[in-house]
Amino acid sequence: KDLSITNKEFLDLTNRAASWLLSLGGKPESRIFLPHLHSPYAEIMALGIWNLGGTVVLTDNGSPPKRKDFEILNLISLETNFQKELSKSNPDFTPIFKPNLLDEAIIFLEKDKGIKLSHYNLLVNANGIQKSINLQRGTSVKVNLSPNTTAWVVLQVILPLYTGTELTNKN
């Protein structure tokens, strides 16, 4: 809401993010590390990863994980000028892979432990929050979480789209 981004502009940005990630070597079913970006680029890149058909990988400390048991792509840099890079990418990205609800959507890693959540898990959590606080379409919601938790994914990425609410930095 505070950035005055329309739904169409937001969709274009997530399509551009998916197109950009594809140009960097991302592909469907890739596990892509998402560093601690500022809003709205953290949310845009998470949705871009999903639009590509990939899995978002988060860590509690914001550092790329070093795993031997599965490959994680480190395509997104904190030094990237996202406005510039995304403006050069295709807003008409067409997904070549659409994950099922039970496919993995996010992997959160903390030290030697991790949690994997499916798209269904994220939607169920968003639905539970919507019902428990009686969140109505068109409501403005202030959420200010660091992009390094599953709560951030549910509250700042999924919930606004699922419920038709607007995120705001104000009260």
Side-chain angles (χ1 to χ4, degrees), residues 39 141-147 152 155-156 167-169:
S39 188
V141 179
K142 180 179 178 179
V143 180
N144 190 22
L145 295 173
S146 179
W152 169 79
L155 292 169
Q156 278 186 235
L167 289 180
T168 181
N169 290 326

Side-chain angles (χ1 to χ4, degrees), residues 13-46:
L13 286 169
T14 61
N15 284 338
R16 288 176 185 273
S19 178
W20 179 66
L21 290 166
L22 184 65
S23 74
L24 295 176
K27 55 188 182 297
E29 301 184 88
S30 295
R31 291 171 169 160
I32 301 173
F33 173 66
L34 182 62
H36 296 180
L37 304 176
H38 293 289
S39 188
Y41 292 108
E43 294 83 0
I44 290 166
M45 294 311 296

Side-chain angles (χ1 to χ4, degrees), residues 69-118:
D69 50 346
F70 58 85
E71 179 184 16
I72 298 171
L73 299 178
N74 188 12
L75 305 176
I76 304 167
S77 169
L78 292 173
E79 287 77 39
T80 301
N81 180 337
F82 291 102
Q83 189 171 12
K84 177 182 170 189
E85 292 300 327
L86 296 181
S87 71
K88 298 187 291 187
S89 297
N90 185 1
D92 298 319
F93 177 81
T94 303
I96 53 177
F97 173 79
K98 295 204 182 208
N100 293 313
L101 281 175
L102 296 178
D103 288 345
E104 70 181 26
I106 181 171
I107 297 173
F108 173 73
L109 299 169
E110 181 180 45
K111 298 180 183 154
D112 292 334
K113 298 177 184 176
I115 184 171
K116 181 172 33 173
L117 297 173
S118 69

Side-chain angles (χ1 to χ4, degrees), residues 119-134:
H119 296 279
Y120 179 77
N121 295 138
L122 296 175
L123 289 170
V124 166
N125 278 286
N127 178 268
I129 292 166
Q130 179 189 24
K131 300 288 185 212
S132 68
I133 63 174
N134 195 25

